Amino acid sequence: MIEKPLTSVDVEFVTTLHGDEPISFVVLMQPRGDQDRLLRAIDDVALGELDDAVHEGEEPEGPAAEGPAELALQHSLQSLRNAGSTAVGQVVDDHPLDKLKGVVDEVGADEVIVLTAPHYVEEFFHRDWASRARHKVGVPVLKLFAHSE
């Protein structure tokens, strides 16, 4: 599960987690809008990214975020394929944890990787995607912090 496009560092990291073993990915892209704008602004302030906090209201959310999310997903899938992995995916805006559980069951996934920016407030209260997924999917959930390029 991702919330922004994978960087080259992210792709290298997730494709080498298991050595030379062939890996396939089912990527679920969570568009902006499900997270509370105030919590994102608090996270920006906690990270010292004051400019980002000021501009939180300008970021597309809900239906307006679907187009950018689809582009981010396609970029990420192509990057994983270019690294030699099999990758499919979809943008998920309704009930992402239910969809994640369904995908895990359908493909017999060995693990789930949640690649996200730090969300300090949500993590503190265990309301971040990885914490919530651990209680839902029935396989190990690895939480990684996304890189910036």
PDB file of all heavy atoms in Angstrom, residues 53-73:
ATOM      1  N   ALA A  53       2.889  22.589   5.553  1.00  0.00           N
ATOM      2  CA  ALA A  53       1.737  22.751   6.449  1.00  0.00           C
ATOM      3  C   ALA A  53       0.844  23.907   5.994  1.00  0.00           C
ATOM      4  O   ALA A  53      -0.383  23.796   6.001  1.00  0.00           O
ATOM      5  CB  ALA A  53       2.206  22.977   7.886  1.00  0.00           C
ATOM      6  N   VAL A  54       1.463  24.995   5.561  1.00  0.00           N
ATOM      7  CA  VAL A  54       0.712  26.165   5.116  1.00  0.00           C
ATOM      8  C   VAL A  54      -0.091  25.850   3.859  1.00  0.00           C
ATOM      9  O   VAL A  54      -1.206  26.334   3.685  1.00  0.00           O
ATOM     10  CB  VAL A  54       1.674  27.353   4.870  1.00  0.00           C
ATOM     11  CG1 VAL A  54       0.963  28.498   4.165  1.00  0.00           C
ATOM     12  CG2 VAL A  54       2.275  27.824   6.185  1.00  0.00           C
ATOM     13  N   HIS A  55       0.448  24.998   2.995  1.00  0.00           N
ATOM     14  CA  HIS A  55      -0.180  24.726   1.703  1.00  0.00           C
ATOM     15  C   HIS A  55      -1.033  23.453   1.696  1.00  0.00           C
ATOM     16  O   HIS A  55      -1.476  23.019   0.636  1.00  0.00           O
ATOM     17  CB  HIS A  55       0.887  24.646   0.609  1.00  0.00           C
ATOM     18  CG  HIS A  55       1.612  25.944   0.409  1.00  0.00           C
ATOM     19  ND1 HIS A  55       1.021  27.050  -0.157  1.00  0.00           N
ATOM     20  CD2 HIS A  55       2.875  26.319   0.746  1.00  0.00           C
ATOM     21  CE1 HIS A  55       1.883  28.051  -0.179  1.00  0.00           C
ATOM     22  NE2 HIS A  55       3.016  27.634   0.375  1.00  0.00           N
ATOM     23  N   GLU A  56      -1.282  22.845   2.855  1.00  0.00           N
ATOM     24  CA  GLU A  56      -2.093  21.624   2.918  1.00  0.00           C
ATOM     25  C   GLU A  56      -3.448  21.800   2.256  1.00  0.00           C
ATOM     26  O   GLU A  56      -3.943  20.903   1.598  1.00  0.00           O
ATOM     27  CB  GLU A  56      -2.308  21.191   4.368  1.00  0.00           C
ATOM     28  CG  GLU A  56      -1.405  20.131   4.900  1.00  0.00           C
ATOM     29  CD  GLU A  56      -1.192  18.901   4.056  1.00  0.00           C
ATOM     30  OE1 GLU A  56      -2.121  18.378   3.414  1.00  0.00           O
ATOM     31  OE2 GLU A  56      -0.054  18.448   4.037  1.00  0.00           O
ATOM     32  N   GLY A  57      -4.062  22.950   2.435  1.00  0.00           N
ATOM     33  CA  GLY A  57      -5.385  23.182   1.871  1.00  0.00           C
ATOM     34  C   GLY A  57      -5.412  23.251   0.356  1.00  0.00           C
ATOM     35  O   GLY A  57      -6.468  23.141  -0.256  1.00  0.00           O
ATOM     36  N   GLU A  58      -4.252  23.404  -0.271  1.00  0.00           N
ATOM     37  CA  GLU A  58      -4.182  23.504  -1.728  1.00  0.00           C
ATOM     38  C   GLU A  58      -4.038  22.138  -2.399  1.00  0.00           C
ATOM     39  O   GLU A  58      -4.153  22.034  -3.618  1.00  0.00           O
ATOM     40  CB  GLU A  58      -2.994  24.392  -2.115  1.00  0.00           C
ATOM     41  CG  GLU A  58      -3.113  25.805  -1.581  1.00  0.00           C
ATOM     42  CD  GLU A  58      -1.837  26.614  -1.757  1.00  0.00           C
ATOM     43  OE1 GLU A  58      -0.911  26.144  -2.448  1.00  0.00           O
ATOM     44  OE2 GLU A  58      -1.770  27.713  -1.186  1.00  0.00           O
ATOM     45  N   GLU A  59      -3.767  21.099  -1.616  1.00  0.00           N
ATOM     46  CA  GLU A  59      -3.585  19.763  -2.174  1.00  0.00           C
ATOM     47  C   GLU A  59      -4.935  19.169  -2.570  1.00  0.00           C
ATOM     48  O   GLU A  59      -5.909  19.294  -1.830  1.00  0.00           O
ATOM     49  CB  GLU A  59      -2.914  18.852  -1.147  1.00  0.00           C
ATOM     50  CG  GLU A  59      -1.479  19.214  -0.844  1.00  0.00           C
ATOM     51  CD  GLU A  59      -0.550  18.955  -2.015  1.00  0.00           C
ATOM     52  OE1 GLU A  59      -0.786  17.995  -2.783  1.00  0.00           O
ATOM     53  OE2 GLU A  59       0.406  19.712  -2.172  1.00  0.00           O
ATOM     54  N   PRO A  60      -5.009  18.512  -3.744  1.00  0.00           N
ATOM     55  CA  PRO A  60      -6.286  17.915  -4.147  1.00  0.00           C
ATOM     56  C   PRO A  60      -6.668  16.771  -3.214  1.00  0.00           C
ATOM     57  O   PRO A  60      -5.809  16.031  -2.742  1.00  0.00           O
ATOM     58  CB  PRO A  60      -6.008  17.401  -5.566  1.00  0.00           C
ATOM     59  CG  PRO A  60      -4.540  17.312  -5.676  1.00  0.00           C
ATOM     60  CD  PRO A  60      -3.954  18.299  -4.715  1.00  0.00           C
ATOM     61  N   GLU A  61      -7.961  16.661  -2.940  1.00  0.00           N
ATOM     62  CA  GLU A  61      -8.479  15.608  -2.090  1.00  0.00           C
ATOM     63  C   GLU A  61      -9.707  14.998  -2.739  1.00  0.00           C
ATOM     64  O   GLU A  61     -10.294  15.575  -3.647  1.00  0.00           O
ATOM     65  CB  GLU A  61      -8.870  16.175  -0.718  1.00  0.00           C
ATOM     66  CG  GLU A  61      -7.706  16.684   0.095  1.00  0.00           C
ATOM     67  CD  GLU A  61      -8.157  17.223   1.441  1.00  0.00           C
ATOM     68  OE1 GLU A  61      -9.368  17.449   1.635  1.00  0.00           O
ATOM     69  OE2 GLU A  61      -7.289  17.433   2.291  1.00  0.00           O
ATOM     70  N   GLY A  62     -10.102  13.857  -2.238  1.00  0.00           N
ATOM     71  CA  GLY A  62     -11.316  13.204  -2.724  1.00  0.00           C
ATOM     72  C   GLY A  62     -11.249  12.935  -4.215  1.00  0.00           C
ATOM     73  O   GLY A  62     -10.212  12.509  -4.729  1.00  0.00           O
ATOM     74  N   PRO A  63     -12.332  13.204  -4.957  1.00  0.00           N
ATOM     75  CA  PRO A  63     -12.356  12.928  -6.399  1.00  0.00           C
ATOM     76  C   PRO A  63     -11.254  13.664  -7.173  1.00  0.00           C
ATOM     77  O   PRO A  63     -10.727  13.146  -8.145  1.00  0.00           O
ATOM     78  CB  PRO A  63     -13.740  13.399  -6.838  1.00  0.00           C
ATOM     79  CG  PRO A  63     -14.571  13.320  -5.608  1.00  0.00           C
ATOM     80  CD  PRO A  63     -13.641  13.633  -4.459  1.00  0.00           C
ATOM     81  N   ALA A  64     -10.883  14.859  -6.725  1.00  0.00           N
ATOM     82  CA  ALA A  64      -9.826  15.609  -7.415  1.00  0.00           C
ATOM     83  C   ALA A  64      -8.460  14.948  -7.265  1.00  0.00           C
ATOM     84  O   ALA A  64      -7.557  15.207  -8.051  1.00  0.00           O
ATOM     85  CB  ALA A  64      -9.770  17.040  -6.877  1.00  0.00           C
ATOM     86  N   ALA A  65      -8.306  14.073  -6.286  1.00  0.00           N
ATOM     87  CA  ALA A  65      -7.026  13.398  -6.061  1.00  0.00           C
ATOM     88  C   ALA A  65      -6.902  12.101  -6.860  1.00  0.00           C
ATOM     89  O   ALA A  65      -5.818  11.521  -6.933  1.00  0.00           O
ATOM     90  CB  ALA A  65      -6.851  13.105  -4.570  1.00  0.00           C
ATOM     91  N   GLU A  66      -7.995  11.655  -7.472  1.00  0.00           N
ATOM     92  CA  GLU A  66      -7.969  10.371  -8.175  1.00  0.00           C
ATOM     93  C   GLU A  66      -7.056  10.384  -9.400  1.00  0.00           C
ATOM     94  O   GLU A  66      -6.327   9.417  -9.643  1.00  0.00           O
ATOM     95  CB  GLU A  66      -9.379   9.939  -8.546  1.00  0.00           C
ATOM     96  CG  GLU A  66     -10.191   9.564  -7.326  1.00  0.00           C
ATOM     97  CD  GLU A  66     -11.641   9.254  -7.639  1.00  0.00           C
ATOM     98  OE1 GLU A  66     -11.995   9.093  -8.835  1.00  0.00           O
ATOM     99  OE2 GLU A  66     -12.435   9.177  -6.688  1.00  0.00           O
ATOM    100  N   GLY A  67      -7.083  11.465 -10.189  1.00  0.00           N
ATOM    101  CA  GLY A  67      -6.209  11.552 -11.364  1.00  0.00           C
ATOM    102  C   GLY A  67      -4.741  11.512 -10.988  1.00  0.00           C
ATOM    103  O   GLY A  67      -3.979  10.685 -11.521  1.00  0.00           O
ATOM    104  N   PRO A  68      -4.288  12.365 -10.047  1.00  0.00           N
ATOM    105  CA  PRO A  68      -2.891  12.294  -9.609  1.00  0.00           C
ATOM    106  C   PRO A  68      -2.532  10.934  -9.009  1.00  0.00           C
ATOM    107  O   PRO A  68      -1.418  10.438  -9.200  1.00  0.00           O
ATOM    108  CB  PRO A  68      -2.784  13.406  -8.564  1.00  0.00           C
ATOM    109  CG  PRO A  68      -3.839  14.388  -8.945  1.00  0.00           C
ATOM    110  CD  PRO A  68      -4.966  13.548  -9.501  1.00  0.00           C
ATOM    111  N   ALA A  69      -3.469  10.317  -8.300  1.00  0.00           N
ATOM    112  CA  ALA A  69      -3.197   9.001  -7.712  1.00  0.00           C
ATOM    113  C   ALA A  69      -2.993   7.948  -8.804  1.00  0.00           C
ATOM    114  O   ALA A  69      -2.104   7.100  -8.698  1.00  0.00           O
ATOM    115  CB  ALA A  69      -4.336   8.595  -6.779  1.00  0.00           C
ATOM    116  N   GLU A  70      -3.797   8.013  -9.858  1.00  0.00           N
ATOM    117  CA  GLU A  70      -3.654   7.053 -10.961  1.00  0.00           C
ATOM    118  C   GLU A  70      -2.299   7.228 -11.653  1.00  0.00           C
ATOM    119  O   GLU A  70      -1.628   6.246 -11.985  1.00  0.00           O
ATOM    120  CB  GLU A  70      -4.802   7.215 -11.962  1.00  0.00           C
ATOM    121  CG  GLU A  70      -4.791   6.183 -13.070  1.00  0.00           C
ATOM    122  CD  GLU A  70      -4.954   4.746 -12.591  1.00  0.00           C
ATOM    123  OE1 GLU A  70      -5.744   4.487 -11.680  1.00  0.00           O
ATOM    124  OE2 GLU A  70      -4.259   3.871 -13.157  1.00  0.00           O
ATOM    125  N   LEU A  71      -1.888   8.480 -11.873  1.00  0.00           N
ATOM    126  CA  LEU A  71      -0.570   8.733 -12.475  1.00  0.00           C
ATOM    127  C   LEU A  71       0.551   8.217 -11.570  1.00  0.00           C
ATOM    128  O   LEU A  71       1.519   7.616 -12.043  1.00  0.00           O
ATOM    129  CB  LEU A  71      -0.383  10.226 -12.743  1.00  0.00           C
ATOM    130  CG  LEU A  71      -1.219  10.828 -13.855  1.00  0.00           C
ATOM    131  CD1 LEU A  71      -1.045  12.342 -13.898  1.00  0.00           C
ATOM    132  CD2 LEU A  71      -0.863  10.201 -15.197  1.00  0.00           C
ATOM    133  N   ALA A  72       0.418   8.445 -10.269  1.00  0.00           N
ATOM    134  CA  ALA A  72       1.421   7.970  -9.312  1.00  0.00           C
ATOM    135  C   ALA A  72       1.488   6.453  -9.317  1.00  0.00           C
ATOM    136  O   ALA A  72       2.581   5.860  -9.280  1.00  0.00           O
ATOM    137  CB  ALA A  72       1.096   8.485  -7.909  1.00  0.00           C
ATOM    138  N   LEU A  73       0.343   5.816  -9.395  1.00  0.00           N
ATOM    139  CA  LEU A  73       0.301   4.354  -9.440  1.00  0.00           C
ATOM    140  C   LEU A  73       0.983   3.830 -10.697  1.00  0.00           C
ATOM    141  O   LEU A  73       1.816   2.922 -10.629  1.00  0.00           O
ATOM    142  CB  LEU A  73      -1.144   3.862  -9.376  1.00  0.00           C
ATOM    143  CG  LEU A  73      -1.323   2.355  -9.571  1.00  0.00           C
ATOM    144  CD1 LEU A  73      -0.676   1.573  -8.431  1.00  0.00           C
ATOM    145  CD2 LEU A  73      -2.808   2.016  -9.691  1.00  0.00           C
TER     146      LEU A  73
END
